Amino acid sequence: MSGRTFFGHPWALATLFGTEMWERFSWYGLRAILATFLAASPAQHGLGLSQETAQAVVGVYGALIYLVALPGGWIADRILGARRSVFWGGFVIMLGHISMALPVSSPYFVWQGLLLIIAGTGLLKPNMSVMVGRLYPEGDDARRDAGFSLFYMSINLGAFFAPIVVGWLATGDRWHLGFGAAAVGMAFGLAQYIRGGRHLRGIGERPVHVQHRLFWRGAGIAAAAAIALGAWAATGTLTVDRLTVAITVVILIVPVAYFSYLMLGSHDLTEDERIRMKAYIWLFVAASVFWMIYDLAPSKLLFFARDHTDLSLFGIPIQPATTQSFNPLFIMIFVPVFAALWVRLGTRVSTPQKFAFALIVIGLSFVVMAVAAALAGPGRVSVWWLVLVYLIQVFGELSLSPVGLSVTTKLAPEAFKGQMLGVWFISLSVGDAVGGQTGRLGRVLSDPMYYLVLAAMAIVAGIALFMFARRLRVMMAEHHEPVIR
């Protein structure tokens, strides 16, 4: 390779690495304080929502982030191109953080900011990965995989430092200062992207397929949704709580509609492809259950950190938001361990077994949370309980998340390969939305029972998946003979 390189990779990877790191800094920085800001009283410069409603808002916010990746990828492919989509996505994200950072009492700028961040992330997030993939020529799979490993590190670096910095800045109810730090982080990312743009050498410059007519159809659907929301508001019955429920219902309908469309239509699918998709639906449901628990970190577990733990590590005081840094730290430590483990185990452990293990592990993490909550009662326990919980959860994530991306590409029907990665992210959307609504169980269950109920759901689902793992493995064609038509 000639010219300047980045750890042996094209220097353009350094540009994308830095952009992604700062974008993730802004995303995880906001995520680390959003729930506590929403639940803080107006006297503390918060919005004064109940903890259950704040948890639901954080849930649907995360869910919509993943859901809009689908239209974001479509817009890049057919209208803007990946390169411009990343720039405008980052710019809109920055505007969203600035809106939230404005030191005004009106909640309007908060909701406007969240909507802008959702829209901008939909443009930026999927297309960053597309551009990384295009840095490498066809057939250079080994270097492409190594490049994505470096890129993955940028995500976790941003995720690790953001809660520490933003959480410290937001101390003393200085929420808007924390939001401002997230805006500055995104600005740094944009500056890095513009400055290093010359190294991209035309990558993602043009859309793959230009289809403006479908864009206007999508805009029409969005306008109709806005009109319906306005009409609901005019009735005087629209509340934040009810809106989160409505969004959750819509998100649940999306995968049902998609899989029904896929399985009930002909689409020239072979019988073998249909069998594989039936297996994939079960894996999709399992993943949704996993994310339902895993993504309670920035809401339910954050509230526990604030209200029921002694926030001190090795004698050093920390902020509640800092507990959100445990997860990316453990990911950076254990990614190479699990990568080596899967290579060593080879085909002896199937994908359904890995998913089942992940479900049981995430369930066990909430058994630990139930014990911690029981010991805390109205008081506090050591923050090391949360450290243990996040450590256990990372073992589950590394058994499911990268494996899920891989199996999605493997099981996707030939005619739908371009769409199926977006479908995988819908599992995160479903899990986040439903997990946000589980906060309502706190009205009828004690905290220990809340954690045990969710733990039981995950563990039972994991055991069931283990029982049917052999059958699913056959359906996935690991031992299934293709049907000749």
Side-chain angles (χ1 to χ4, degrees):
M1 177 184 297
S2 61
R4 195 178 183 189
T5 63
F6 180 67
F7 294 102
H9 294 267
W11 187 255
L13 182 62
T15 297
L16 299 178
F17 181 101
T19 305
E20 181 72 1
M21 182 184 70
W22 283 112
E23 186 276 329
R24 290 292 87 183
F25 177 94
S26 71
W27 157 251
Y28 282 101
L30 169 63
R31 189 175 183 256
I33 63 172
L34 179 58
T36 44
F37 163 73
L38 294 172
S41 69
Q44 298 171 306
H45 309 294
L47 292 196
L49 304 180
S50 68
Q51 286 194 14
E52 292 81 7
T53 301
Q55 181 175 331
V57 170
V58 172
V60 297
Y61 168 64
L64 289 172
I65 288 287
Y66 291 112
L67 194 64
V68 296
L70 286 174
W74 183 89
I75 288 171
D77 283 345
R78 291 165 174 79
I79 299 173
L80 293 177
R83 186 169 173 178
R84 282 187 292 173
S85 293
V86 167
F87 171 79
W88 287 112
F91 184 73
V92 172
I93 290 170
M94 184 180 68
L95 292 180
H97 287 300
I98 290 173
S99 179
M100 296 190 69
L102 294 174
V104 295
S105 58
S106 171
Y108 170 81
F109 292 99
V110 173
W111 303 123
Q112 173 182 265
L114 291 177
L115 286 174
L116 288 171
I117 294 167
I118 289 169
T121 306
L123 276 176
L124 183 146
K125 186 62 179 168
N127 295 305
M128 286 290 291
S129 298
V130 168
M131 293 180 70
V132 172
R134 291 179 182 172
L135 295 178
Y136 303 90
E138 288 294 329
D140 198 0
D141 293 339
R143 291 184 64 249
R144 182 183 291 107
D145 290 347
F148 269 106
S149 296
L150 276 173
F151 184 70
Y152 190 61
M153 184 64 70
S154 73
I155 295 172
N156 288 292
L157 281 173
F160 173 72
F161 287 109
I164 299 172
V165 175
V166 174
W168 175 74
L169 288 172
T171 304
D173 304 328
R174 298 175 301 187
W175 309 107
H176 299 289
L177 190 58
F179 298 145
V184 171
M186 191 64 255
F188 281 155
L190 281 174
Q192 168 95 6
Y193 188 66
I194 295 169
R195 186 168 179 266
R198 66 184 184 278
H199 300 293
L200 295 174
R201 299 176 182 174
I203 294 172
E205 195 71 43
R206 297 180 180 275
V208 180
H209 308 288
V210 180
Q211 294 182 6
H212 292 290
R213 182 168 53 184
L214 289 178
F215 169 76
W216 289 113
R217 290 181 184 176
I221 293 172
I227 291 170
L229 189 61
W232 186 6
T235 66
T237 60
L238 175 62
T239 64
V240 173
D241 218 28
R242 289 171 179 168
L243 181 59
T244 64
V245 173
I247 293 173
T248 299
V249 171
V250 171
I251 289 171
L252 287 171
I253 290 172
V254 170
V256 173
Y258 184 85
F259 285 123
S260 297
Y261 165 77
L262 191 65
M263 299 300 293
L264 299 180
S266 64
H267 309 301
D268 295 322
L269 301 186
T270 66
E271 187 62 26
D272 196 52
E273 287 177 328
R274 289 185 182 278
I275 293 172
R276 293 184 186 188
M277 284 310 301
K278 288 178 182 178
Y280 183 77
I281 290 172
W282 289 108
L283 296 178
F284 179 94
V285 172
S288 298
V289 173
F290 177 88
W291 298 119
M292 176 186 72
I293 295 177
Y294 185 87
D295 276 350
L296 289 176
S299 54
K300 188 69 176 180
L301 299 194
L302 181 60
F303 288 132
F304 184 85
R306 184 192 65 182
D307 300 331
H308 296 295
T309 64
D310 292 319
L311 291 166
S312 175
L313 282 174
F314 304 108
I316 302 172
I318 63 172
Q319 301 303 318
T322 304
T323 60
Q324 301 296 292
S325 292
F326 299 158
N327 172 275
L329 175 62
F330 288 137
I331 288 177
M332 287 187 286
I333 292 171
F334 287 103
V335 157
V337 176
F338 272 76
L341 177 65
W342 298 142
V343 171
R344 186 175 182 84
L345 290 174
T347 59
R348 285 177 288 174
V349 179
S350 67
T351 297
Q353 288 173 326
K354 292 174 184 177
F355 271 55
F357 173 77
L359 283 171
I360 291 174
V361 165
I362 200 72
L364 290 176
S365 77
F366 262 36
V367 172
V368 174
M369 276 303 306
V371 174
L375 291 175
R380 295 178 180 270
V381 294
S382 169
V383 76
W384 288 101
W385 282 96
L386 279 178
V387 173
L388 177 59
V389 168
Y390 284 120
L391 175 62
I392 295 171
Q393 289 191 350
V394 162
F395 293 159
E397 181 190 5
L398 294 177
S399 301
L400 181 139
S401 184
V403 177
L405 287 169
S406 176
V407 77
T408 298
T409 59
K410 176 185 174 183
L411 299 183
E414 194 61 38
F416 291 85
K417 281 194 180 294
Q419 303 175 25
M420 286 302 292
L421 280 180
V423 173
W424 167 253
F425 286 116
I426 293 178
S427 72
L428 285 89
S429 186
V430 170
D432 279 13
V434 174
Q437 297 300 327
T438 63
R440 302 177 194 280
L441 294 174
R443 300 171 182 172
V444 294
L445 298 175
S446 65
D447 272 0
M449 281 306 300
Y450 169 86
Y451 294 120
L452 284 177
V453 166
L454 294 188
M457 291 174 61
I459 292 172
V460 169
I463 292 172
L465 200 56
F466 262 127
M467 292 173 62
F468 289 97
R470 185 183 297 273
R471 173 62 180 160
L472 287 174
R473 191 169 191 174
V474 172
M475 293 172 67
M476 290 167 56
E478 292 184 8
H479 299 295
H480 179 68
E481 293 299 325
V483 176
I484 301 175
R485 300 183 69 184

